[in-house]
């Protein structure tokens, strides 16, 4: 594919129709499409598991399954959603597709590694799926030792192997992002002309590179201990069970920033494009991404306030966790200020984006409850924590993914979907989501521990679980509907044209869908990032309105 | 602060000394979160409507950077966060610092039950009886995987880790029955590994001890430890004086500073003693060789706790009385034969005494059957 002169009639989708041209492609856009199909599939699997968990919890004594099945179900939900969806969705789909387009490059720095990362991801998905089909693992997605290494009689090793392979997929993706951002920018694309989406993915790539090897070796050690009785974590063999928690969270806390930083990037793009105004405090948002990436590595101990780590350790971790709240707050307020004196267009992606902000606000503002360890002693590992991280992961990461998918769908496919349905669906997801997870704050505050199958000894928790299950049904519909109207748009949608949103950015300067080589001309960047003019636009609007009158 | 929407409880009961301050901190953060959350989301919605494309709002002189504004909205959350941090630190340090004279209760967690041992020998499973208005220190350990001992009404929880003692303390303030949960996922019946904490008046608690003390041998933990000490023959090496080169004496050892051959120093606390029993070669006292065998597979956690209680009591030739029980109001000291010398009036036990074990497993296995259980697990 080294020829620079493809037929102008062809775009990346029509340039080759054979299965081979898809499975051996080195085109970042096709790889993003492969990823899109696979993450959607796994999201469906994880969602089914979540539905099973929620319906089982409707009654205090359960009525669908045994405890063992329930445990395997929430483990499947957690493992699939975290390792096969959240860590992958925005970076590997939107990031892969857009990063080269946004910086004016022909492709990522290592196209073959990019293809390898998808195969590794599929191998990971295969391992985890096989483990589930063969009876499942029952350790929870956190795989705490010594239960996972010495006591569990389920398919832990195969699941861990899957996660291990998924880690390599993550590393290659991260390396690609970092190197591409450094080396592949078009002439004139300076660091401060980079879209914030690129900044977010750059920070994400750094986290993937530095963190993932740690969790890979940690989980490999669990496999070794299970298989060869190597004394690492089990005190019976002379190991240290809390060591696992340290090493696991050293990666898995930064991992939540792998899930949310790309979503920040997406929302930054959407807020500026639909406010028709340059984003407020560009430098602050860019640097807050880097600050989050850096500080994210220094807070892993806040998962372990009640796990026998020393009191002084907890003090440090609590303090840094509070500091970490600041960059997140900066971003939300900057987005708010971006809308001020803009020309806000309330399109489908924008409603998803505003929904993201509402949910992420709740998720972020419930962080301090858990960061202040005086409270965390009571709230740790209760449904309060479950609600908090679902607000951030689902309300943040998945809303961000949906917002980005709607925003760039015309660019990816060249088709327009029905914007009205998208708007209503965004509101439906928002309502269903709040109904699902807000009651869990209350029930967690009342002391309901997470990962509980039965609670017949505490019937006062029942109404909140019923509310939550009702909400999850609405949420399920809200997540299913986009699949229908987006697929419908592929066949019946209007042609989108190069720039349907009238947005500013290199990716909108090429055709939709883009050609295989991304740009049919030599890219030289001369204008500033987000070069909107809200005042002139407003005057034009007024003139148009006056002209009509 | 109880906005009752459905006539259902929305708060956990408050029954310990930590509850009031904990809830004050909680609601202070609720206030912060509501203020910032509602303010920000209201602004977002307001701007979305007011500056909707084509509306007649004033859009002159838009700003894209404003260092002063950015400075303020970095500073304000930082200061609020720091204030919250200091308050929560004070609370946390209180929670993690047990008072010196607290009544000590031992807890062993294992799949899937809590084994509780009161200092004067009374034992119970999945239920914890405590006297009201008394400082209680819980020293706990796990027999197998990580569990967490969680009492929502007291706002306390801590993990029990295999191979390591953890501690927490509280002072119950309201008589009643409260939930006890395991809060760290530990396997199939994780959700049923719990029961009740029953807070009783001091009087009732004394009666309860008197009645339950008959269930097993009427020995204090230290006395049980002494029996074991003699049965195993620890005294052959750990005698009344240091026996060089066989072993140092354990008399008055607890709480002293020990020095190993390579000059490192350790305080002889519970964890040190436990490690010295399980892995004697780790920290060999100066002047002795590695002669002691490991008792790793010999003792259950409960045995070790009893041995520690014995060593704590001085490891003399006979234990006078449990000092902790002596400190309990309403309880007379027992004599060395182990007969309870409680106040003679046979008061009926009045507090609600349902056996709150929620499990469907029927009888829990005896503590001695651990090796068998482990064999089943692997």
């Amino acid at each position: 594919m080294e020829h620079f002169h493809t037929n102008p009639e062809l775009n990346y989708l029509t340039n080759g129709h054979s299965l081979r041209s898809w499975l051996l492609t080195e085109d970042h856009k096709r790889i993003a499409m492969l990823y899109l199909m696979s993450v959607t599939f796994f999201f469906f699997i994880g969602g089914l598991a979540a539905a099973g968990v929620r319906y089982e919890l409707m009654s205090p004594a359960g009525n669908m399954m045994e405890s063992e099945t329930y445990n395997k179900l929430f483990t499947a939900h957690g493992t699939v959603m975290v390792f096969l969806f959240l860590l992958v969705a925005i970076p590997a789909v939107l990031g892969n597709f857009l990063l080269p387009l946004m910086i004016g490059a022909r492709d990522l720095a290592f196209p073959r590694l990019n293809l390898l990362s998808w195969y590794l991801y599929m191998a990971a998905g295969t391992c985890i799926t096989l483990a589930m089909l063969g009876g499942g693992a029952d350790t929870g997605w956190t795989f705490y030792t010594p239960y996972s290494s010495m006591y569990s009689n389920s398919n832990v090793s195969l699941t861990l192997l899957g996660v291990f392979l998924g880690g390599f997929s993550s590393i290659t993706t991260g390396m690609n992002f970092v190197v591409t951002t450094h080396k592949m920018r078009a002439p004139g694309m300076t660091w401060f002309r980079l879209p914030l989406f690129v900044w977010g993915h750059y920070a994400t790539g750094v986290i993937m590179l530095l963190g993932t090897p740690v969790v890979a070796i940690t989980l490999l050690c669990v496999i070794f201990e299970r298989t060869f009785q190597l004394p690492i974590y089990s005190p019976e063999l002379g190991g240290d069970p809390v060591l696992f928690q340290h090493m696991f969270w050293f990666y898995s806390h930064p991992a939540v920033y792998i899930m949310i930083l790309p979503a920040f990037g997406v929302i930054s793009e959407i807020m500026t494009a639909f406010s028709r105004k340059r984003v407020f405090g560009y430098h602050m948002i860019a640097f807050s991404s880097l600050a989050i990436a850096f500080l994210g590595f220094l807070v892993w101990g806040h998962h372990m306030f009640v796990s026998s780590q020393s009191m002084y350790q907890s003090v440090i971790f609590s303090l840094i966790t509070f500091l970490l709240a600041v960059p997140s707050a900066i971003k939300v307020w900057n987005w708010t200020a971006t809308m001020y004196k803009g020309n806000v267009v309330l399109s489908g992606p924008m409603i998803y984006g505003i929904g993201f902000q509402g949910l992420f606000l709740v998720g972020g503002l419930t962080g301090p409850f858990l960061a202040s360890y005086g409270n965390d002693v009571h709230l740790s590992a209760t449904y309060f924590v479950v609600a908090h991280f679902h607000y951030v992961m689902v309300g943040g990461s998945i809303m961000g993914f949906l917002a980005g998918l709607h925003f760039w769908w015309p660019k990816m496919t060249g088709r327009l979907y029905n914007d009205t349905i998208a708007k209503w669906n965004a509101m439906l997801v928002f309502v269903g989501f709040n109904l699902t997870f807000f009651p869990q704050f209350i029930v967690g505050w009342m002391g309901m521990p997470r990962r509980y199958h039965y609670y017949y000894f505490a019937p006062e928790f029942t109404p909140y679980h019923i509310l939550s299950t009702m909400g999850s049904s609405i949420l399920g519909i809200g997540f299913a509907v986009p699949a229908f109207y987006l697929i419908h748009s592929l066949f019946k949608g209007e042609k989108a044209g190069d720039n349907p949103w009238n947005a500013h950015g290199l990716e909108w300067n090429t055709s939709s869908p883009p050609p295989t080589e991304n740009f049919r001309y030599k890219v030289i960047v001369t204008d500033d990032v987000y070069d909107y003019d809200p005042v002139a636009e407003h005057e034009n609007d007024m003139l148009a309105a006056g002209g009509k009158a | 602060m109880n906005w009752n929407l459905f006539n259902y409880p929305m708060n956990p009961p408050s029954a310990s000394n930590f509850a009031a301050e904990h809830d004050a901190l909680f609601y202070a953060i609720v206030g912060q979160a509501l203020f910032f959350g509602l303010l920000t989301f209201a602004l977002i919605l307001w701007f979305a409507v007011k500056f909707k494309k084509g509306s007649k709002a004033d859009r002159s002189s838009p700003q894209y950077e404003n260092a002063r504004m950015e400075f303020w909205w970095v500073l304000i959350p930082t200061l609020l966060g720091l204030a919250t941090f200091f308050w929560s630190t004070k609370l946390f340090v209180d929670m993690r610092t047990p008072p010196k004279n607290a009544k000590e209760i031992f807890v062993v967690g294992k799949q899937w039950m809590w084994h509780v041992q009161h200092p004067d020998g009374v034992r119970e499973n999945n239920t914890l009886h405590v006297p009201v208005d008394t400082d209680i220190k819980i020293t706990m350990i796990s027999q197998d995987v990580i569990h967490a001992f969680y009492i929502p009404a007291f706002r306390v929880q801590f993990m029990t880790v295999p191979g390591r003692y953890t501690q927490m303390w509280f002072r119950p303030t309201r008589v009643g029955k409260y939930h006890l949960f395991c809060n760290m996922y530990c396997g199939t019946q994780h959700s049923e590994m719990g029961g009740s904490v029953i807070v009783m008046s001091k009087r009732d608690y004394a009666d309860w001890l008197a009645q339950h003390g008959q269930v097993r041998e009427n020995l204090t933990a230290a006395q049980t430890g002494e029996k074991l000490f003699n049965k195993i023959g620890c005294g052959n090496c750990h005698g009344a004086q240091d026996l060089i080169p066989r072993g140092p004496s354990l008399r008055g050892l607890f709480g002293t500073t020990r020095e190993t051959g390579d000059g490192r120093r350790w305080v002889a606390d519970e964890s040190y003693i436990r490690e010295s029993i399980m892995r004697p070669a780790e920290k060999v006292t100066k002047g002795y060789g590695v002669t002691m065998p490991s008792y790793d597979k010999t003792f259950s956690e409960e045995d070790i706790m009893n041995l520690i209680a014995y060593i704590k009591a001085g490891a003399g030739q006979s234990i006078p009385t449990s000092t902790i029980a002596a400190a309990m109001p309403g309880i007379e000291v027992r004599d060395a034969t182990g007969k309870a010398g409680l106040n003679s009036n046979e008061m009926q036990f009045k507090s609600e005494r349902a056996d709150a074990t929620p499990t469907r497993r029927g009888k829990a296995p005896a503590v001695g059957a651990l090796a068998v259980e482990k064999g089943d697990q692997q």
Side-chain angles (χ1 to χ4, degrees):
Chain A
M1 300 265 245
E2 284 308 308
H3 46 92
F4 201 78
H5 42 79
T6 44
N7 182 339
E9 296 299 307
L10 293 180
N11 58 49
Y12 82 99
L13 291 169
T14 50
N15 188 5
H17 288 285
S18 62
L19 194 62
R20 189 165 177 272
S21 75
W22 276 93
L23 292 180
L24 295 178
T25 180
E26 287 169 20
D27 179 2
H28 64 99
K29 299 181 290 302
R30 285 198 165 196
I31 293 168
M33 283 295 142
L34 292 174
Y35 261 119
L36 177 59
M37 288 180 252
S38 26
V39 300
T40 309
F41 171 76
F42 286 118
F43 179 69
F44 178 72
I45 303 275
L48 277 182
V53 167
R54 276 274 36 111
Y55 283 110
E56 177 69 2
L57 283 172
M58 257 179 105
S59 62
N63 47 17
M64 287 161 52
M65 56 189 84
E66 288 298 311
S67 289
E68 204 172 334
T69 318
Y70 174 84
N71 295 342
K72 287 173 174 174
L73 208 58
F74 75 66
T75 303
H77 168 65
T79 314
V80 169
M81 284 298 199
V82 169
F83 295 111
L84 299 180
F85 181 78
L86 286 169
L87 286 169
V88 183
I90 305 185
V93 179
L94 300 174
N96 259 341
F97 195 99
L98 293 161
L99 201 77
L101 282 168
M102 284 184 167
I103 62 176
R106 279 205 54 227
D107 204 324
L108 285 163
F110 308 114
R112 283 193 198 88
L113 270 186
N114 198 18
L115 182 64
L116 176 70
S117 90
W118 182 73
Y119 278 103
L120 284 169
Y121 168 80
M122 289 313 281
T126 309
C127 283
I128 291 173
T129 314
L130 278 178
M132 284 192 305
L133 293 175
D138 69 342
T139 54
W141 77 272
T142 47
F143 305 112
Y144 269 24
T145 55
Y147 182 72
S148 64
S149 65
M150 299 296 285
Y151 286 86
S152 176
N153 291 321
S154 51
N155 292 337
V156 180
S157 293
L158 190 56
T159 311
L160 288 174
L161 184 69
V163 176
F164 180 76
L165 292 171
F168 281 104
S169 161
S170 202
I171 292 170
T172 46
T173 305
M175 188 161 60
N176 244 329
F177 287 174
V178 172
V179 176
T180 307
T181 314
H182 270 282
K183 306 297 287 183
M184 311 281 286
R185 284 171 286 127
M189 177 55 83
T190 60
W191 279 95
F192 291 122
R193 283 180 178 171
L194 286 176
L196 289 167
F197 183 90
V198 180
W199 275 103
H201 278 75
Y202 177 73
T204 308
V206 170
I207 299 176
M208 285 171 165
L209 264 180
L210 296 177
T212 320
V214 178
V215 80
I217 202 71
T218 308
L219 299 180
L220 205 61
C221 285
V222 176
I223 298 179
F224 284 164
E225 190 169 83
R226 269 185 85 80
T227 319
F228 309 118
Q229 312 282 299
L230 281 188
I232 299 158
Y233 304 122
S234 170
E236 290 164 39
L237 305 172
D240 180 348
V242 182
L243 175 69
F244 174 86
Q245 293 179 31
H246 279 289
M247 284 161 65
F248 179 83
W249 288 116
F250 180 81
Y251 162 78
S252 291
H253 189 81
V256 306
Y257 294 108
I258 296 178
M259 303 169 198
I260 198 71
L261 277 174
F264 289 159
V266 169
I267 300 299
S268 300
E269 297 294 317
I270 286 176
M271 293 311 284
T272 190
F274 292 109
S275 300
R276 321 290 313 141
K277 180 169 169 279
R278 183 193 160 106
V279 69
F280 185 89
Y282 171 93
H283 293 84
M284 285 297 272
I285 299 189
F287 286 132
S288 69
S289 289
L290 295 183
I292 287 175
F294 173 71
L295 286 173
F297 275 104
L298 304 178
V299 296
W300 78 89
H302 70 207
H303 296 265
M304 306 162 56
F305 285 150
V306 295
S307 74
S308 84
Q309 72 178 7
S310 90
M311 189 166 80
Y312 305 102
Q313 227 171 319
S314 296
V315 171
I316 305 288
F317 283 125
S318 175
L319 181 62
I320 302 174
T321 306
F322 273 108
L323 294 182
L324 192 47
V326 176
S328 316
I330 290 172
K331 282 177 191 283
V332 178
W333 282 329
N334 276 322
W335 295 326
T336 312
T338 302
M339 294 165 82
Y340 182 66
K341 293 192 174 180
N343 293 288
V344 180
V345 182
L346 293 173
S347 62
M350 184 67 171
I351 303 280
Y352 276 108
I354 289 175
F356 165 96
Q357 289 192 61
L359 299 179
F360 181 72
L361 267 170
V362 180
L365 287 165
T366 48
F369 291 97
L370 304 167
S372 61
Y373 36 14
N375 272 333
D376 189 68
V377 168
H378 168 57
L379 296 173
S380 185
T382 62
Y383 263 81
F384 195 95
V385 177
V386 174
H388 162 72
F389 74 70
H390 277 85
Y391 262 92
V392 179
M393 298 291 98
V394 187
S397 215
I398 298 184
M399 273 303 246
F401 178 63
L402 284 174
L405 195 64
H406 282 76
F407 185 44
W408 284 292
W409 186 259
K411 179 53 60 181
M412 289 173 166
T413 63
R415 302 284 184 159
L416 289 174
Y417 50 86
N418 184 327
D419 205 48
T420 314
I421 297 182
K423 274 188 233 186
W424 283 103
N425 189 61
M427 292 183 233
L428 184 76
V429 169
F430 185 82
V431 170
F433 180 88
N434 277 305
L435 185 56
T436 307
F437 291 106
F438 203 84
Q440 295 186 5
F441 281 126
I442 301 169
V443 84
W445 161 237
M446 286 166 65
M448 166 100 191
R450 69 191 282 203
R451 296 171 173 169
Y452 260 34
H453 177 213
Y454 296 126
Y455 51 97
Y456 53 81
F457 35 79
E460 67 267 28
F461 299 153
T462 315
Y464 302 103
H465 280 293
I466 291 174
L467 277 177
S468 185
T469 303
M470 282 159 55
S472 68
S473 310
I474 299 173
L475 189 61
I477 295 167
F479 283 145
V481 171
F484 290 102
Y485 64 75
L486 289 178
I487 289 171
H488 177 263
S489 77
L490 288 178
F491 302 102
K492 303 274 178 165
E494 287 175 48
K495 288 266 190 294
D498 289 7
N499 192 353
W501 309 115
N502 212 350
H504 184 273
L506 280 180
E507 79 270 30
W508 302 108
N509 291 354
T510 184
S511 55
S512 307
T516 301
E517 69 276 15
N518 287 349
F519 298 96
R520 296 185 199 277
Y521 54 91
K522 188 160 174 48
V523 181
I524 296 176
V525 183
T526 52
D527 52 354
D528 233 329
V529 67
Y530 306 137
D531 208 356
Y532 297 102
D533 190 346
V535 179
E537 272 201 36
H538 177 60
E539 281 167 5
N540 287 340
D541 289 344
M542 289 290 121
L543 279 176
K548 272 181 201 160
Chain B
M1 278 298 280
N2 189 353
W3 306 332
N4 225 325
L5 300 183
F6 334 87
N7 231 347
Y8 266 102
M10 291 182 72
N11 304 316
S14 301
S16 86
N17 56 322
F18 299 125
E21 189 181 354
H22 178 283
D23 292 11
L25 175 59
F26 181 85
Y27 287 120
I29 307 176
V30 167
Q32 275 181 37
L34 277 178
F35 174 74
F36 284 111
L38 292 176
L39 177 80
T40 313
F41 201 53
L43 277 178
I44 290 169
L45 295 180
W46 182 49
F47 289 162
V49 174
K50 184 176 157 116
F51 295 105
K52 197 162 184 275
K53 196 171 174 64
S55 69
K56 286 193 166 51
D58 172 32
R59 290 177 174 77
S60 53
S61 60
Q63 283 190 316
Y64 306 118
E65 300 272 345
N66 184 334
R68 183 175 300 175
M69 208 169 188
E70 299 267 13
F71 170 78
W72 281 110
W73 69 43
V74 169
L75 190 72
I76 290 169
T78 308
L79 291 179
L80 270 173
L82 283 179
T84 316
F85 165 76
F86 283 119
W87 186 359
S88 80
T89 300
K90 179 204 162 288
L91 178 60
F92 186 74
V93 170
D94 286 351
M95 283 178 153
R96 301 304 308 142
T97 330
K100 278 263 186 297
N101 54 356
K103 173 180 158 64
E104 200 166 1
I105 294 180
F106 287 114
V107 169
V108 178
K110 55 172 185 273
Q111 287 175 323
W112 289 273
M113 61 179 288
W114 293 108
H115 180 79
V116 179
Q117 190 172 337
H118 294 259
D120 52 358
V122 175
R123 297 166 189 143
E124 47 185 338
N125 288 336
N126 289 336
T127 321
L128 171 65
H129 287 79
V130 285
V132 73
D133 292 326
T134 312
D135 292 342
I136 311 277
K137 182 169 96 173
I138 306 245
T139 300
M140 35 189 179
I141 197 159
S142 163
Q143 190 104 43
D144 38 42
V145 303
I146 296 177
H147 305 282
F149 195 74
Y150 178 36
I151 309 168
F154 295 172
R155 314 285 188 274
V156 291
Q157 95 169 291
F158 217 73
M159 286 187 198
T160 60
V161 184
R164 174 180 315 182
Y165 289 115
T166 51
Q167 291 180 328
M168 69 185 195
W169 79 280
F170 49 83
R171 185 169 63 248
T173 51
R174 261 180 45 201
V175 171
K177 188 172 149 188
Y178 305 104
H179 291 301
L180 163 66
F181 293 131
C182 169
N183 202 14
M184 174 46 65
Y185 179 70
C186 55
T188 308
Q189 295 182 21
H190 163 60
S191 65
E192 292 171 291
M193 178 175 171
S196 297
V197 177
I198 294 167
V199 182
M200 315 157 89
S201 71
K202 290 182 180 177
R203 177 85 240 188
D204 286 347
Y205 180 74
D207 289 352
W208 176 83
L209 280 185
Q211 297 195 5
H212 273 243
Q214 312 299 334
V215 174
R216 294 186 180 234
E217 281 187 302
N218 226 337
L219 295 178
T220 64
Q223 287 165 329
T224 316
E226 183 187 16
K227 266 177 83 173
L228 189 63
F229 190 89
N230 295 334
K231 184 177 146 200
I232 301 283
C234 311
N236 296 345
C237 300
H238 300 287
Q241 288 92 30
D242 291 356
L243 298 169
I244 298 178
R246 289 168 72 185
S249 166
L250 304 181
R251 285 197 168 187
L253 168 113
F254 191 84
T256 57
T257 306
R258 310 290 291 171
E259 193 178 341
T260 54
D262 52 9
R264 292 173 301 158
R265 288 166 176 275
W266 309 91
V267 175
D269 58 2
E270 290 95 339
S271 298
Y272 169 89
I273 296 172
R274 181 177 178 280
E275 189 186 18
S276 301
I277 297 171
M278 305 285 261
R279 294 187 293 282
E282 294 276 329
K283 296 166 184 169
V284 184
T285 305
K286 195 170 176 178
Y288 299 92
V290 187
T291 49
M292 178 167 160
S294 161
Y295 287 88
D296 198 347
K297 302 282 184 280
T298 318
F299 294 142
S300 71
E301 293 294 350
E302 203 194 341
D303 292 338
I304 298 177
M305 279 185 173
N306 291 326
L307 282 170
I308 289 171
Y310 174 64
I311 292 165
K312 258 187 176 177
Q317 286 317 296
S318 68
I319 307 296
T321 51
S322 158
T323 47
I324 300 172
M328 288 284 306
I331 297 185
E332 279 182 29
V333 170
R334 296 161 179 246
D335 58 31
T337 58
K339 280 210 188 90
L342 279 159
N343 311 347
S344 52
N345 55 350
E346 297 277 303
M347 272 186 65
Q348 280 300 309
F349 176 64
K350 288 185 292 296
S351 173
E352 185 188 359
R353 265 197 52 214
D355 187 352
T357 310
T359 57
R360 302 171 175 178
R361 288 191 313 281
K363 279 182 76 87
V367 181
L370 289 168
V372 185
E373 277 188 58
K374 278 228 175 106
D376 294 345
Q377 301 256 354
Q378 298 277 337

